[in-house]
Amino acid sequence: MEPGDSTKQARAAAQLRKGVLEYCVLALMRDRPRYGVELLHALEDSGALATSQGTVYPLLSRLRRDDLVTTTWQESASGPPRRYYALTDSGRAALDEFARVWPGFRNTVDSFLTTPHPSTGDLA
Amino acid sequence: MEPGDSTKQARAAAQLRKGVLEYCVLALMRDRPRYGVELLHALEDSGALATSQGTVYPLLSRLRRDDLVTTTWQESASGPPRRYYALTDSGRAALDEFARVWPGFRNTVDSFLTTPHPSTGDLA
DNA sequence: CCGGGTTCCATGCGATGCAAGGTACCTGAT
DNA sequence: ATCAGGTACCTTGCATCGCATGGAACCCGG
C-alpha cells in the first residue's frame, strides 16, 4: 500500500501496539457495550491501532477469562448474532489504573525522544 | 514500597514497556555511545521505564544482531571492561522512523482515553 | 585469599500480536 | 434450490518480547 515506509513503519507500530491495545479496547467499551467487529473498525479508523481479527478475538477471550468484561448475545437486524462486550467493575478499575499510569509513561517516552541526553559521567 | 498499587500498576506498566523500550534505548545512544549498565541506570532514573538486566542485555543482543548498533570494548578505570554500544546508520534510521510514528500513536491513545466515544450506530 | 562491587551474558517461562484457517448466519441473484 | 458475497464469530500455531533467575569474569581492599 504505502510504498517504502510500509515495512519499517509497520514494524515500529506493531511493537508499539503491544499492551496498549488491551486498554484501548477497554476504553472503547467505557460508554456502552460493543461487539467484536465494531471494535475492530473503531481501531482501524484510529489509524495507528489498526489490527486484525486474529488479534482482537484472542484479546477479548483473555478479557473475559480475567473477568474484565462480560458478554451478552444479541440479535442483529441483518447478519449473524453479535456478542456484545461490556466492562465489569474490575475492567473499569483496570482502565482507570491505565489512565493513571499512561501520562507518566507517555511523557517519559517524549522526553527520551526530544531531550538531548547530556552525560551520565558528570553527576556521578 | 507503594502499598496497594504495586501489583496492578506494575502489570499495566509492564505491558506498556513492550516495544517502546527498544527505541528509548536507541534514543539514549543518539548523542554518544553507552554501555549496558549505564543504559540500565538511565532507564531506572526515568521512572516509568525502569527495568532489569535480564531485559536490557537480550535487547542489546537483538539490536546488534539486526545491525542497529555496533559495539566496541573499552577499558574501565575500575572494574571489568565495558562494551559500548553505538548507533549504526540503520539504527539511526530506525530511531528516526520511530520518532515519526510515535506522536500519532501517542495522540491516538490519548484520544481513546479522554474522548467520550459517542456511538457508531448514529453515523452508519 | 576472600568478600564485595561492577560488568557482562544466557536460559527458560509466560504473555502477546498476528497471519492463516475455519464455521455459521443472512441476503440477493442465478 | 443453489451459490456468491457480506457479516460475524472463533481457534491454532508461530515468532517475539519482557523479565526473573543464575552465572561468569574482572578489579580492589582487607
Side-chain angles (χ1 to χ4, degrees), chain B residues 46-67:
Chain B
S46 78
L49 286 176
T51 182
S52 70
Q53 294 191 353
T55 297
V56 167
Y57 282 112
L59 168 61
L60 290 173
S61 294
R62 279 185 308 250
L63 294 178
R64 198 168 22 149
R65 183 199 59 191
D66 298 342
D67 288 318

Side-chain angles (χ1 to χ4, degrees), chain A residues 13-24:
Chain A
Q15 307 296 1
L16 268 182
R17 266 167 258 176
K18 301 202 173 192
V20 181
L21 232 163
E22 172 181 347
Y23 296 99
C24 287

Side-chain angles (χ1 to χ4, degrees), chain A residues 33-35 70-75 82-86:
Chain A
R34 307 274 190 164
Y35 66 98
T70 45
T71 69
T72 54
W73 284 98
Q74 203 159 330
E75 293 290 334
R82 301 163 173 173
R83 193 202 282 273
Y84 278 83
Y85 297 80

Side-chain angles (χ1 to χ4, degrees), chain B residues 15 35-37 53-54 57 61 80 82-83 85:
Chain B
Q15 308 296 1
Y35 65 98
V37 175
Q53 294 191 353
Y57 282 112
S61 294
R82 300 163 173 173
R83 192 201 283 273
Y85 297 81

Side-chain angles (χ1 to χ4, degrees), chain B residues 13 26 32 46 64 116 120:
Chain B
L26 289 177
R32 64 189 209 104
S46 78
R64 198 168 22 149
T120 358

